[in-house]
């Protein structure tokens, strides 16, 4: 049994996972892991997707790479998908949600165009990541959070820090 919490902030690209995850790590002392960075550092890829112009993640190798760290606890995992991770890894999952118009603007500013831009906005419209989380994890641990404004971000951070502190009290 872990003595420190594991968190998964997830959601469509552009919803604020990385900003939230890094700031949470600062406020809580938990370890922040960005799956894209981890994959890049360890070359944990299984080819290249020409249509989306990005490497294809080798999910099994990512899970193998992180499993020991996750069993120790104290980790915030940042990724736009969630069903590749074992259910036992996380104590709580936060699906960040952003208004479609804002998301479109954020992704455009990142250089997303065409099909990649459209598919990511559609993913948000159809709640794809939320549904994926609800299927992959116990419904009690999956929570949606609005992520439209700096005020939303601050409110989310405060809520998650409080939740983390309570979890630590309850489990130690």
């Amino acid at each position: 049994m872990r003595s420190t919490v594991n968190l998964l902030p997830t959601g469509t690209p552009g919803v604020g996972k990385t900003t939230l995850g890094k700031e949470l790590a600062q406020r809580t002392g938990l370890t922040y892991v960005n799956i894209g960075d981890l994959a890049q550092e360890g070359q944990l890829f299984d080819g290249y997707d020409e249509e989306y112009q990005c490497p294809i993640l080798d999910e099994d190798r990512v899970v193998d790479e992180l499993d020991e760290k996750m069993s120790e606890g104290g980790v915030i995992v940042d990724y736009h998908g969630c069903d590749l991770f074992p259910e036992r890894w996380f104590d709580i999952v936060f699906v960040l949600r952003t208004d479609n118009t804002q998301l479109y603007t954020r992704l455009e500013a990142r250089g997303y165009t065409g099909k990649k831009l459209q598919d990511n906005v559609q993913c948000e419209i159809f709640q794809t990541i939320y549904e994926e989380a609800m299927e992959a994890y116990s419904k009690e641990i999956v929570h949606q959070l609005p992520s439209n404004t700096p005020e939303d971000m601050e409110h989310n951070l405060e809520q998650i820090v409080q939740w983390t502190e309570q979890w630590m009290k309850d489990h130690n």
Side-chain angles (χ1 to χ4, degrees), residues 148-162:
N148 295 303
T149 65
E151 293 77 22
D152 286 344
M153 179 68 70
E154 186 55 38
H155 180 73
N156 292 341
L157 285 162
E158 289 168 7
Q159 271 194 306
I160 297 169
V161 167
Q162 278 182 342

Side-chain angles (χ1 to χ4, degrees), residues 30 48 60 69-71 94 108 120 122 131 139:
L30 299 173
Y48 190 80
D60 291 337
K69 183 188 285 274
M70 295 306 292
S71 62
F94 297 102
E108 238 182 3
N120 277 291
Q122 273 191 333
E131 288 179 10
K139 289 171 182 38

Side-chain angles (χ1 to χ4, degrees), residues 116-133:
K116 188 173 183 177
L117 176 61
Q118 294 302 324
D119 285 357
N120 277 291
V121 172
Q122 273 191 333
C123 180
E124 186 66 9
I125 291 169
F126 294 124
Q127 301 186 52
T128 306
I129 307 297
Y130 177 65
E131 288 179 10
E132 187 180 287

